[in-house]
Amino acid sequence: MNSPVSDGPGAVRHLLVDEDSAGQRLDNYLFRELKGVPKTHIYRIIRSGEVRRNKGRISADDRVQAGDVLRIPPIRLSERPAEKAAQPVPVRDFPVIHEDDAFLALDKPAGVAVHGGSGVSFGVIEQLRRSRPDARFLELVHRLDRETSGLLLIAKKKSALKSLQDQFRERETGKTYLALVRGRWPSKLKVLDQPLHKYLLPDGERRVRVVDAAHPDAMRAVTLVAVRKHLPAPSGLEAVCPDGLTLLEVTIKTGRTHQIRVHLSHAGFPIVGDDKYGDFDFNRLLAKAGLRRMFLHAWRLRLTHPISGQSMELHSELPVELGPWAGS
């Protein structure tokens, strides 16, 4: 059990991470340890640097290790339980691609966050727990951006969670996305290997950019790109899209925040509909033509079953709103 070194109302707390919690993302760890604290507040104290690991700063997606001592600032719990009870997480069922005793794979729609926090009251995991009240354990294995659709894994056992997260961390999984970009992607450009750096805008929103390898906070990021098909420009947009569009199969060898979006944009081929790293003027034209979301879809996932050890390949077909834009 994780041990509070000091505790008390209005006091700084120090939590000692135990073996069972080793490898968890900081945000997930704190969600469980600080029950009743709004996720938006947890993200706020992480971003501000008030949460410290072994006296140093730590990010929400950093993984805690056994023996880490986490400093938690004074936190006042919400005194509005009645208000919260009046606004419960709504029940929602998501399409299930695969399910067994160890984990399930959902088909996440675009526009739905995977978890609450950072201005979002709830996400897939909270709604899934609400719809399965008898489930003893349901935890996110990995993340997808809110506007990305497709395969999302949920562990149903702690052992499965650790096994699957270890596979993701050790790059033993194959995660392939379908992305539509503006322009004609050169077939010879197959590997994007540029370090990334996360930073915050003045309003606290997270962004990522390509940096030099010598940057002190550079994180290596490798993206493999294969052309699936070249497509003509959308009807009426030939003048602003003379080279048409390209549907890509994009496999990530590292799982950095916004990795695909930043790498493709930096290469000069932003994902269509991307509202953070895309071509905003072109996106507005596409929205008028009917594409009102980012074309990034978690399509295929290769992994080893966490219990049986068998190799698996899961697929999520393109959602109906993207099909016509992919020429299907």
Side-chain angles (χ1 to χ4, degrees):
M1 176 147 184
N2 300 294
S3 307
V5 178
S6 64
D7 202 350
V12 169
R13 300 172 62 189
H14 293 85
L15 297 177
L16 179 64
V17 179
D18 63 11
E19 291 284 351
D20 287 342
S21 299
Q24 287 187 26
R25 284 173 50 119
L26 175 67
D27 51 5
N28 284 342
Y29 175 85
L30 293 181
F31 293 159
R32 283 216 289 263
E33 291 298 315
L34 304 179
K35 293 188 186 300
V37 179
K39 291 184 178 179
T40 51
H41 186 66
I42 290 176
Y43 281 114
R44 190 178 305 121
I45 61 175
I46 294 172
R47 284 197 302 264
S48 68
E50 295 177 85
V51 176
R52 296 269 171 166
R53 173 172 62 183
N54 307 328
K55 300 183 180 180
R57 290 184 74 111
I58 183 172
S59 300
D61 55 358
D62 285 341
R63 297 184 184 276
V64 299
Q65 302 301 327
D68 282 348
V69 176
L70 300 176
R71 176 198 181 275
I72 312 300
I75 294 173
R76 180 173 297 174
L77 294 179
S78 171
E79 297 178 355
R80 298 182 297 171
E83 181 180 330
K84 289 186 177 181
Q87 298 177 323
V89 174
V91 174
R92 179 169 180 178
D93 291 322
F94 297 93
V96 175
I97 293 172
H98 169 87
E99 181 170 8
D100 58 31
D101 291 340
F103 75 98
L104 66 149
L106 300 180
D107 202 352
K108 186 189 89 66
V112 181
V114 295
H115 62 75
S118 296
V120 180
S121 299
F122 55 84
V124 172
I125 190 63
E126 291 86 4
Q127 290 180 295
L128 186 64
R129 289 170 180 156
R130 173 79 172 165
S131 66
R132 298 184 176 208
D134 296 330
R136 298 180 63 183
F137 187 92
L138 291 171
E139 292 289 347
L140 287 166
V141 174
H142 62 112
R143 303 294 198 273
L144 288 179
D145 289 347
R146 184 174 183 177
E147 294 308 320
T148 302
S149 54
L151 283 163
L152 180 67
L153 300 189
I154 311 290
K156 296 171 67 176
K157 292 183 176 181
K158 197 166 190 176
S159 59
L161 177 66
K162 185 177 187 306
S163 173
L164 291 168
Q165 288 186 334
D166 285 348
Q167 290 182 51
F168 277 91
R169 187 165 53 252
E170 299 301 322
R171 307 177 191 174
E172 296 170 354
T173 58
K175 290 177 67 178
T176 302
Y177 294 70
L178 296 179
L180 188 67
V181 299
R182 182 184 184 183
R184 189 174 183 85
W185 184 276
S187 298
K188 65 180 181 180
L189 184 55
K190 297 180 179 180
V191 180
L192 303 177
D193 186 355
Q194 293 109 9
L196 300 178
H197 166 58
K198 288 191 296 185
Y199 64 100
L200 296 178
L201 297 176
D203 63 1
E205 190 172 353
R206 182 173 52 185
R207 285 288 191 277
V208 179
R209 62 174 173 250
V210 169
V211 294
D212 187 83
H215 191 286
D217 296 317
M219 301 177 295
R220 192 179 182 206
V222 180
T223 303
L224 308 182
V225 183
V227 173
R228 187 175 178 116
K229 67 171 75 170
H230 293 292
L231 297 161
S235 178
L237 299 182
E238 294 85 357
V240 295
C241 191
D243 296 324
L245 306 170
T246 307
L247 182 63
L248 302 174
E249 294 182 12
V250 185
T251 300
I252 53 174
K253 306 303 288 184
T254 51
R256 307 303 183 192
T257 301
H258 297 170
Q259 176 175 325
I260 295 174
R261 301 165 69 175
V262 175
H263 268 173
L264 297 186
S265 180
H266 185 260
F269 295 85
I271 297 175
V272 299
D274 188 342
D275 64 356
K276 288 183 171 65
Y277 308 99
D279 182 327
F280 306 137
D281 291 335
F282 187 58
N283 288 346
R284 281 192 285 271
L285 295 174
L286 287 174
K288 292 179 181 178
L291 181 62
R292 298 180 178 87
R293 57 158 288 194
M294 178 174 64
F295 196 124
L296 184 60
H297 179 73
W299 165 58
R300 183 178 68 202
L301 180 60
R302 292 171 175 158
L303 69 152
T304 300
H305 192 278
I307 294 178
S308 70
Q310 292 183 329
S311 296
M312 300 181 65
E313 183 169 305
L314 304 172
H315 290 86
S316 168
E317 298 308 315
L318 279 174
V320 293
E321 71 270 17
L322 295 185
W325 294 88
S328 59

